[in-house]
């Protein structure tokens, strides 16, 4: 596809359940980022992938959060035992090589609601 | 404290009016990204400024970088309802003059909500 895609677009889950969020970056982009956008917190960095490796996981809020990337392409963000405070919009972005001056292109996001 | 502060936090204008949104860094500002977000959607890249004094325009939107003031401004001329949304500025550590490895980990301002009344 031409842009970054994410699925699902919306996810409603019950507290305690696990969820998986998917990101398909722009073809050929080696760098992939996950961000979270919530009321009162703004847009926060979660994790950065270069290829299949994650050199920076510093933004993951707790060990309930994990992410992987396979084939240097698709990435999955997994949240285990979801809590209400996990409710947010999860945004994925990709860039060509991950340099600080490479433009990051964002997907439409996944809106997660934890009841 | 926020590394990037945007002002105003929200703005309501009548269609046809000009407006300016500012993004100020608490540190050095070598460059900046501007994005626009419509409610429920992802971020749309507007433009990137990479050096002091740089000015870029896209349609009716102009962005400038004042390195001395550690500030960037986004100016919209003759605003239209289609300009409505949330405007976000963001920068990587290299653009903020911080040390260490740069790999595109963006820090964002808190956003400016723009409403344009027809």
């Amino acid at each position: 596809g031409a842009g970054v895609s994410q699925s699902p677009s919306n996810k409603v889950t019950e507290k305690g359940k696990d969820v998986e969020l998917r990101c398909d970056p722009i073809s050929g982009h080696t760098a992939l980022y996950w961000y979270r956008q919530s009321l009162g917190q703004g847009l926060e960095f979660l994790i950065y992938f270069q290829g299949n490796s994650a050199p920076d996981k510093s933004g993951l809020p707790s060990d309930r959060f994990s992410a992987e990337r396979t084939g240097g392409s698709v990435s999955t963000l997994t949240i285990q035992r979801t809590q209400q405070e996990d409710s947010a919009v999860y945004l994925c972005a990709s860039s060509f090589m991950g340099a600080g001056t490479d433009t990051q292109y964002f997907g439409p996001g996944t809106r997660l609601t934890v009841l | 404290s926020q590394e990037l502060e945007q002002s105003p936090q929200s703005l309501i204008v009548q269609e046809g009016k000009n407006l300016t949104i500012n993004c100020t860094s608490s540190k050095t500002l070598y460059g900046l990204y501007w994005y626009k977000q419509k409610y429920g959607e992802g971020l749309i890249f507007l433009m990137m400024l990479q050096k002091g004094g740089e000015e870029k325009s896209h349609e009716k939107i102009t962005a400038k970088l004042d390195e001395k003031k550690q500030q960037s401004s986004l100016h919209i001329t003759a605003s239209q309802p289609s300009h409505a949304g949330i405007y976000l500025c963001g920068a990587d550590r290299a653009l903020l003059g911080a040390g260490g490895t740069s790999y595109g980990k963006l820090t964002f301002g808190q956003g400016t909500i723009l409403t344009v009344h027809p």
Side-chain angles (χ1 to χ4, degrees), chain A residues 19-91:
Chain A
V19 295
E20 282 190 354
L21 312 180
R22 177 188 168 107
C23 171
D24 278 276
I26 292 172
S27 178
H29 280 192
T30 63
L32 186 147
Y33 310 82
W34 284 97
Y35 295 87
R36 179 169 74 172
Q37 187 176 36
S38 51
L39 285 174
Q41 296 296 323
L43 232 167
E44 305 171 291
F45 166 85
L46 295 178
I47 187 169
Y48 156 65
F49 284 94
Q50 180 56 247
N52 293 334
S53 302
D56 188 349
K57 307 178 184 180
S58 63
L60 295 178
S62 73
D63 57 9
R64 295 186 295 104
F65 287 72
S66 63
E68 65 174 13
R69 189 179 185 195
T70 54
S73 180
V74 172
S75 176
T76 303
L77 177 68
T78 302
I79 309 173
Q80 295 179 310
R81 304 181 303 281
T82 52
Q83 303 294 312
Q84 288 183 333
E85 61 262 28
D86 299 335
S87 296
V89 176
Y90 290 82
L91 292 160

Side-chain angles (χ1 to χ4, degrees), chain A residues 6-28:
Chain A
Q6 293 186 245
S7 61
S9 56
N10 278 286
K11 177 72 177 178
V12 179
T13 190
E14 293 179 349
K15 178 181 171 182
K17 300 283 188 183
D18 298 352
V19 295
E20 282 190 354
L21 312 180
R22 177 188 168 107
C23 171
D24 278 276
I26 292 172
S27 178

Side-chain angles (χ1 to χ4, degrees), chain A residues 31 33 35 37 42-43 45 48 56 58-59 89 91 98-109 111, chain B residues 33 35 37 39-45 48 50 86 88 92 94-95 102-110:
Chain A
Y33 310 82
Y35 295 87
Q37 187 176 36
L43 232 167
F45 166 85
Y48 156 65
D56 188 349
S58 63
V89 176
L91 292 160
T101 53
D102 278 351
T103 298
Q104 289 182 33
Y105 296 93
F106 283 77
R111 181 172 298 275
Chain B
Y33 290 93
Y35 286 90
Q37 184 179 30
Y39 180 76
E41 298 179 15
L43 276 64
I44 300 167
F45 171 71
M48 185 203 174
Q50 291 197 58
I86 302 171
L88 290 145
D92 167 81
L95 298 176
S102 167
Y103 47 84
K105 176 180 177 180
L106 295 182
T107 298
F108 287 91
Q110 74 273 40

Side-chain angles (χ1 to χ4, degrees), chain B:
Chain B
S1 64
Q2 198 85 13
E3 282 187 293
L4 292 174
E5 290 277 353
Q6 287 186 237
S7 62
Q9 291 188 12
S10 63
L11 192 53
I12 302 173
V13 300
Q14 203 68 30
E15 182 176 1
K17 295 294 186 184
N18 302 335
L19 63 103
T20 299
I21 297 168
N22 291 308
C23 177
T24 304
S25 173
S26 59
K27 302 176 182 177
T28 310
L29 190 62
Y30 294 122
L32 196 79
Y33 290 93
W34 281 102
Y35 286 90
K36 177 187 173 185
Q37 184 179 30
K38 292 221 171 216
Y39 180 76
E41 298 179 15
L43 276 64
I44 300 167
F45 171 71
L46 294 176
M47 55 193 88
M48 185 203 174
L49 305 167
Q50 291 197 58
K51 52 189 176 184
E54 186 171 22
E55 179 175 321
K56 286 187 176 178
S57 293
H58 176 67
E59 297 179 344
K60 293 185 178 179
I61 301 176
T62 300
K64 302 179 186 179
L65 179 64
D66 187 330
E67 199 176 325
K68 286 184 182 177
K69 289 185 180 177
Q70 299 175 193
Q71 182 179 77
S72 177
S73 59
L74 186 84
H75 184 77
I76 299 177
T77 305
S79 58
Q80 299 170 357
S82 61
H83 287 127
I86 302 171
Y87 289 81
L88 290 145
C89 61
D92 167 81
R93 62 186 299 114
L95 298 176
L96 292 172
T101 306
S102 167
Y103 47 84
K105 176 180 177 180
L106 295 182
T107 298
F108 287 91
Q110 74 273 40
T112 295
I113 303 171
L114 173 63
T115 304
V116 181
H117 286 311

